[in-house]
Amino acid sequence: MAQESPKNSAAEIPVTSNGQLEDSHEHSFNRDLKCSLPVGLGLSETKITSHGFDGAKEGVVEAGQFPSKGSSASPKSVISPSSAAASRLAGQGCDLIIPTGGRAQQKSGPVVLADEVKNPAMEKLELVRKWSLNTYKCTRQIISEKLGRGSRTVDLELEAQIDILRDNKKKYENILRLAQTLSTQLFQMVHTQRQLGDAFADLSLKSLELHEEFGYNADTQKLLAKNGETLLGAINFFIASVNTLVNKTIEDTLLTVKQYESARIEYDAYRTDLEELNLGPRDANTLPKIEQSQQLFQVHKEKYDKMRNDVSIKLKFLEENKVKVLHNQLVLFHNAIAAYFAGNQKQLEQTLKQFHIKLKTPGADAPSWLEEQ
């Protein structure tokens, strides 16, 4: 041919009969192959192998560690006689991707780097940083409110209801404490009356001349002890109901109130922070901070509104439950006390039946002999 078609020199590498490069063309092949490989991968770290001598199979570039130039050993290079493989190897140098394992593979398209694995320690550190920042802002808000320098959000109607609830809780706790004292004293009196009745009964059997007198007193003390046990059951039922109301129902509502107050402090802290940023200059450095502060403020505002709504609902249900419970318990307490001191045993027993109160028989809770065994 008068004019030779343009081909890459790597496609025209002469090969000897045993598949080895001729010495005269080794320098030109190395120079062309350098242009086809990515930057940073030298020929001293590359060997080219083939899986056979038929033209259908293409060569594969493998990266590995080879001895330095000063070493006597030299890298062994074997080239497939396939001209198509050599042409593709020379023409697609920009598409070679060298993975971490050291093997070069042909792949067209951009290089994709794997995302870095998140470090759990860094996530915990970020959580601690956010918690510290939030605590600092809330502490600063509390101190500024106590010093009279900072402003706070106040719901007058809700705050009044909360103050009334706390005041009522103290008064109910006082009633509960006095009722427990009365129950303890009544229990001691009933126990004494029972012992006194047993003593009178014993003397009535041993003193024939005072048999009737000791007998009357024994019956009276035993009757008083029985009525005292009935009254004691009514008082203990009253104490249990009021204790549930004060230490469970009201306490649960006050726990929600505490969460509401914490949300209010956070809301005011981030509101103050946003107001301070809005008063400052607006430039490229402060605008991202203002936007971030606005987002945090909106989050805490929604939390504050939700907690305020929860407190309002709980206060409403608590008021209804409190009226219902205290109405029944106050009627029970009044009727039981009046019947006991009037000596009306039937009315006292009827009061307990009205409120479905069952008295415990002395020793009923004690296990039997078979259960103990």
Side-chain angles (χ1 to χ4, degrees):
M1 297 177 63
Q3 184 178 358
E4 185 178 359
S5 61
K7 290 184 180 179
N8 194 302
S9 60
E12 299 178 352
I13 300 173
V15 183
T16 60
S17 60
N18 60 355
Q20 303 238 341
L21 284 171
E22 289 184 356
D23 296 335
S24 60
H25 299 280
E26 182 177 2
H27 180 68
S28 62
F29 171 73
N30 289 341
R31 184 181 64 253
D32 294 335
L33 186 58
K34 282 183 179 180
C35 298
S36 65
L37 291 179
V39 178
L41 183 62
L43 285 177
S44 61
E45 299 177 353
T46 307
K47 58 179 180 180
I48 303 176
T49 61
S50 67
H51 298 287
F53 287 100
D54 59 343
K57 297 183 181 180
E58 299 179 358
V60 179
V61 181
E62 295 184 356
Q65 298 294 332
F66 290 92
S68 60
K69 295 180 179 180
S71 176
S72 60
S74 61
K76 182 179 179 181
S77 300
V78 179
I79 305 175
S80 171
S82 173
S83 59
S87 300
R88 288 182 60 185
L89 181 63
Q92 297 180 357
C94 298
D95 292 333
L96 289 176
I97 299 176
I98 310 300
T100 307
R103 181 176 297 275
Q105 299 177 357
Q106 292 184 11
K107 184 177 180 181
S108 60
V111 178
V112 179
L113 298 178
D115 295 336
E116 295 183 359
V117 180
K118 293 183 179 180
N119 191 354
M122 296 301 296
E123 293 181 357
K124 292 181 179 179
L125 185 61
E126 181 66 17
L127 292 176
V128 172
R129 187 189 69 82
K130 292 181 179 179
W131 175 83
S132 302
L133 183 61
N134 184 72
T135 303
Y136 165 73
K137 291 180 180 293
C138 294
T139 305
R140 185 183 64 178
Q141 177 66 25
I142 293 173
I143 294 176
S144 63
E145 289 179 3
K146 290 184 177 180
L147 295 177
R149 298 177 181 175
S151 61
R152 55 169 302 199
T153 304
V154 179
D155 189 332
L156 297 178
E157 182 180 357
L158 190 61
E159 293 290 338
Q161 294 178 1
I162 293 174
D163 292 339
I164 292 174
L165 176 62
R166 286 173 173 164
D167 185 61
N168 287 337
K169 182 175 183 291
K170 293 180 181 179
K171 294 178 179 179
Y172 295 154
E173 287 176 344
N174 184 42
I175 291 176
L176 183 61
R177 185 166 51 252
L178 293 175
Q180 290 173 345
T181 303
L182 178 62
S183 175
T184 303
Q185 294 174 351
L186 181 61
F187 175 80
Q188 296 294 336
M189 186 180 70
V190 170
H191 181 66
T192 303
Q193 286 174 341
R194 189 182 299 111
Q195 290 180 339
L196 188 58
D198 293 338
F200 283 148
D202 183 60
L203 288 174
S204 67
L205 297 176
K206 296 180 180 180
S207 302
L208 298 178
E209 65 280 3
L210 297 174
H211 173 72
E212 293 183 1
E213 288 79 0
F214 280 124
Y216 294 152
N217 283 277
D219 293 340
T220 302
Q221 293 301 321
K222 289 181 180 180
L223 180 61
L224 290 174
K226 182 180 179 181
N227 292 339
E229 290 175 354
T230 306
L231 177 61
L232 190 62
I235 293 176
N236 288 335
F237 185 77
F238 172 82
I239 291 173
S241 300
V242 176
N243 181 66
T244 302
L245 175 65
V246 173
N247 294 323
K248 290 186 178 180
T249 309
I250 296 180
E251 189 65 30
D252 179 68
T253 304
L254 289 178
L255 179 61
T256 307
V257 170
K258 291 180 181 178
Q259 296 174 354
Y260 157 75
E261 292 176 346
S262 299
R264 197 274 306 165
I265 292 174
E266 291 180 354
Y267 165 72
D268 283 337
Y270 284 91
R271 175 182 57 81
T272 303
D273 192 19
L274 180 60
E275 291 175 354
E276 292 177 355
L277 289 175
N278 287 329
L279 293 176
R282 291 177 175 268
D283 51 20
N285 294 329
T286 58
L287 285 178
K289 295 181 180 179
I290 294 175
E291 183 179 356
Q292 183 181 10
S293 180
Q294 179 67 35
Q295 294 176 356
L296 293 174
F297 167 75
Q298 188 64 30
V299 170
H300 287 85
K301 183 179 183 299
E302 293 176 357
K303 180 181 177 182
Y304 167 73
D305 293 336
K306 179 180 179 300
M307 293 306 304
R308 181 175 58 182
N309 187 41
D310 292 346
V311 171
S312 300
I313 294 174
K314 282 202 171 185
L315 286 175
K316 180 180 178 180
F317 283 114
L318 174 63
E319 187 65 23
E320 296 176 357
N321 188 31
K322 181 192 69 174
V323 171
K324 182 179 179 180
V325 170
L326 288 181
H327 171 75
N328 294 333
Q329 297 306 316
L330 291 174
V331 170
L332 165 67
F333 191 82
H334 172 268
N335 293 343
I337 293 291
Y340 173 79
F341 285 100
N344 193 342
Q345 183 180 0
K346 291 183 179 180
Q347 184 180 355
L348 184 59
E349 293 176 355
Q350 185 65 29
T351 301
L352 268 66
K353 291 180 181 179
Q354 179 183 356
F355 291 94
H356 307 285
I357 301 173
K358 295 181 179 180
L359 297 178
K360 294 182 180 180
T361 305
D365 295 336
S368 63
W369 178 80
L370 291 176
E371 292 175 346
E372 291 180 351
Q373 297 300 321

Coordinates of all heavy atoms in Angstrom, one line a residue, residues 7-41:
K7 N -2.9 3.7 12.5 CA -3.2 2.7 13.6 C -2.3 3.1 14.8 O -1.2 3.6 14.6 CB -2.9 1.3 13.2 CG -3.9 0.8 12.1 CD -3.7 -0.7 11.8 CE -4.6 -1.2 10.8 NZ -4.4 -2.6 10.5
N8 N -2.7 2.7 15.9 CA -1.9 2.8 17.1 C -0.8 1.8 17.0 O -1.0 0.6 16.5 CB -2.8 2.5 18.3 CG -2.1 3.0 19.6 OD1 -1.0 2.5 19.9 ND2 -2.7 3.9 20.3
S9 N 0.4 2.2 17.5 CA 1.5 1.4 17.4 C 1.4 0.2 18.3 O 2.0 -0.8 18.1 CB 2.8 2.2 17.8 OG 2.6 2.7 19.1
A10 N 0.5 0.2 19.3 CA 0.3 -0.9 20.2 C -0.3 -2.1 19.5 O -0.2 -3.2 19.9 CB -0.5 -0.5 21.4
A11 N -1.1 -1.8 18.4 CA -1.7 -2.8 17.6 C -0.8 -3.6 16.7 O -1.1 -4.6 16.1 CB -2.9 -2.3 16.9
E12 N 0.4 -3.0 16.5 CA 1.3 -3.6 15.5 C 2.6 -4.1 16.2 O 3.7 -4.1 15.7 CB 1.7 -2.6 14.5 CG 0.5 -2.0 13.7 CD 0.9 -1.0 12.7 OE1 2.1 -0.6 12.8 OE2 0.1 -0.6 11.9
I13 N 2.5 -4.5 17.4 CA 3.7 -5.1 18.2 C 4.0 -6.4 17.6 O 3.2 -7.3 17.7 CB 3.4 -5.1 19.6 CG1 3.1 -3.7 20.1 CG2 4.5 -5.7 20.4 CD1 2.6 -3.7 21.6
P14 N 5.2 -6.6 17.1 CA 5.6 -7.9 16.6 C 5.8 -8.9 17.7 O 6.3 -8.5 18.8 CB 6.8 -7.7 15.8 CG 7.4 -6.4 16.3 CD 6.2 -5.6 16.8
V15 N 5.5 -10.1 17.6 CA 5.6 -11.1 18.6 C 6.4 -12.3 18.0 O 6.2 -12.7 16.8 CB 4.2 -11.6 19.1 CG1 4.4 -12.6 20.2 CG2 3.4 -10.4 19.5
T16 N 7.3 -12.9 18.7 CA 8.0 -14.1 18.3 C 7.2 -15.3 18.4 O 6.1 -15.3 18.9 CB 9.3 -14.2 19.2 OG1 8.9 -14.4 20.5 CG2 10.2 -13.0 19.1
S17 N 7.7 -16.4 17.9 CA 6.9 -17.6 17.9 C 6.6 -18.1 19.3 O 5.6 -18.8 19.4 CB 7.7 -18.7 17.1 OG 9.0 -18.9 17.8
N18 N 7.4 -17.9 20.2 CA 7.1 -18.3 21.6 C 6.3 -17.3 22.4 O 6.2 -17.4 23.6 CB 8.4 -18.7 22.3 CG 9.3 -17.5 22.5 OD1 9.0 -16.5 21.9 ND2 10.4 -17.7 23.2
G19 N 5.7 -16.3 21.8 CA 4.9 -15.3 22.5 C 5.6 -14.2 23.2 O 5.1 -13.5 24.0
Q20 N 7.0 -14.0 23.0 CA 7.8 -13.0 23.7 C 8.0 -11.8 22.8 O 8.0 -11.9 21.6 CB 9.1 -13.6 24.1 CG 8.9 -14.8 25.0 CD 9.6 -14.7 26.3 OE1 10.4 -13.8 26.5 NE2 9.1 -15.5 27.3
L21 N 8.2 -10.7 23.4 CA 8.5 -9.4 22.7 C 9.9 -9.5 22.1 O 10.8 -10.0 22.7 CB 8.4 -8.2 23.6 CG 7.0 -7.8 24.0 CD1 7.1 -6.7 25.1 CD2 6.3 -7.2 22.8
E22 N 10.0 -8.8 20.9 CA 11.3 -8.6 20.4 C 11.9 -7.4 21.0 O 11.3 -6.5 21.4 CB 11.2 -8.4 18.8 CG 10.7 -9.6 18.0 CD 10.7 -9.3 16.6 OE1 11.0 -8.2 16.2 OE2 10.5 -10.3 15.8
D23 N 13.2 -7.5 21.2 CA 14.0 -6.5 21.9 C 13.9 -5.2 21.2 O 13.9 -4.1 21.8 CB 15.4 -6.9 22.1 CG 15.5 -8.1 23.0 OD1 14.5 -8.3 23.8 OD2 16.5 -8.8 23.0
S24 N 13.8 -5.2 19.9 CA 13.9 -3.9 19.1 C 12.6 -3.1 19.3 O 12.6 -1.9 19.1 CB 14.1 -4.3 17.6 OG 13.0 -5.1 17.2
H25 N 11.5 -3.7 19.7 CA 10.3 -3.0 19.8 C 9.8 -2.8 21.2 O 8.8 -2.2 21.5 CB 9.1 -3.7 19.0 CG 9.4 -3.9 17.6 ND1 9.2 -2.9 16.7 CD2 9.9 -5.0 16.9 CE1 9.5 -3.4 15.4 NE2 9.9 -4.6 15.6
E26 N 10.6 -3.2 22.2 CA 10.2 -3.1 23.6 C 10.1 -1.7 24.0 O 9.2 -1.3 24.7 CB 11.2 -3.9 24.4 CG 10.8 -3.9 25.9 CD 11.8 -4.7 26.7 OE1 12.8 -5.2 26.1 OE2 11.6 -4.8 27.9
H27 N 11.1 -0.9 23.6 CA 11.1 0.5 24.1 C 9.9 1.3 23.5 O 9.2 2.1 24.3 CB 12.4 1.2 23.6 CG 12.5 2.6 24.0 ND1 12.6 3.0 25.4 CD2 12.5 3.8 23.3 CE1 12.6 4.3 25.4 NE2 12.6 4.8 24.2
S28 N 9.5 1.1 22.3 CA 8.4 1.8 21.7 C 7.1 1.4 22.3 O 6.1 2.1 22.5 CB 8.4 1.6 20.2 OG 8.2 0.3 19.9
F29 N 7.0 0.1 22.6 CA 5.7 -0.4 23.2 C 5.5 0.2 24.6 O 4.4 0.5 25.0 CB 5.8 -1.9 23.3 CG 4.6 -2.5 24.1 CD1 3.4 -2.6 23.6 CD2 4.9 -3.1 25.4 CE1 2.3 -3.1 24.3 CE2 3.9 -3.6 26.1 CZ 2.6 -3.6 25.6
N30 N 6.6 0.2 25.4 CA 6.5 0.8 26.7 C 6.1 2.2 26.7 O 5.3 2.7 27.5 CB 7.8 0.6 27.5 CG 8.0 -0.8 27.9 OD1 7.1 -1.6 27.9 ND2 9.3 -1.2 28.2
R31 N 6.6 3.0 25.7 CA 6.2 4.4 25.6 C 4.8 4.5 25.3 O 4.1 5.4 25.8 CB 7.1 5.0 24.5 CG 6.9 6.6 24.4 CD 7.7 7.2 23.4 NE 7.4 6.7 22.0 CZ 8.1 5.8 21.3 NH1 9.3 5.4 21.8 NH2 7.8 5.4 20.1
D32 N 4.2 3.7 24.4 CA 2.8 3.8 24.0 C 1.9 3.4 25.1 O 0.8 3.9 25.3 CB 2.5 3.0 22.8 CG 3.2 3.5 21.5 OD1 3.5 4.7 21.5 OD2 3.5 2.7 20.6
L33 N 2.3 2.4 25.9 CA 1.5 1.9 27.0 C 1.4 2.9 28.1 O 0.4 3.0 28.8 CB 2.0 0.6 27.5 CG 1.2 -0.2 28.5 CD1 -0.2 -0.4 28.0 CD2 1.8 -1.5 28.9
K34 N 2.5 3.7 28.3 CA 2.4 4.7 29.4 C 1.3 5.7 29.1 O 0.7 6.2 30.0 CB 3.8 5.4 29.4 CG 4.8 4.6 30.2 CD 6.1 5.5 30.3 CE 7.2 4.7 31.0 NZ 8.4 5.5 31.1
C35 N 1.1 6.0 27.8 CA 0.1 7.0 27.5 C -1.3 6.4 27.7 O -2.3 7.2 27.9 CB 0.2 7.4 26.0 SG 1.8 8.2 25.6
S36 N -1.5 5.1 27.7 CA -2.8 4.5 27.8 C -3.2 4.3 29.2 O -4.4 4.1 29.5 CB -2.9 3.2 27.0 OG -2.0 2.3 27.6
L37 N -2.2 4.2 30.2 CA -2.5 3.9 31.6 C -2.8 5.2 32.3 O -2.3 6.3 32.0 CB -1.4 3.2 32.2 CG -1.1 1.7 31.7 CD1 0.1 1.1 32.4 CD2 -2.4 0.9 31.9
P38 N -3.6 5.1 33.5 CA -3.8 6.3 34.3 C -2.5 6.9 34.9 O -1.6 6.1 35.1 CB -4.8 5.8 35.4 CG -5.4 4.6 34.8 CD -4.3 4.0 34.0
V39 N -2.6 8.1 35.3 CA -1.5 8.8 36.0 C -1.2 8.1 37.3 O -2.1 7.8 38.1 CB -1.8 10.3 36.2 CG1 -0.6 10.9 36.9 CG2 -2.1 10.9 34.8
G40 N 0.0 7.8 37.6 CA 0.3 7.2 38.9 C 0.6 5.8 38.8 O 1.1 5.2 39.7
L41 N 0.3 5.1 37.6 CA 0.6 3.7 37.4 C 1.7 3.5 36.4 O 1.5 3.7 35.2 CB -0.7 3.0 37.0 CG -0.6 1.5 36.8 CD1 -0.3 0.8 38.2 CD2 -1.8 0.9 36.3

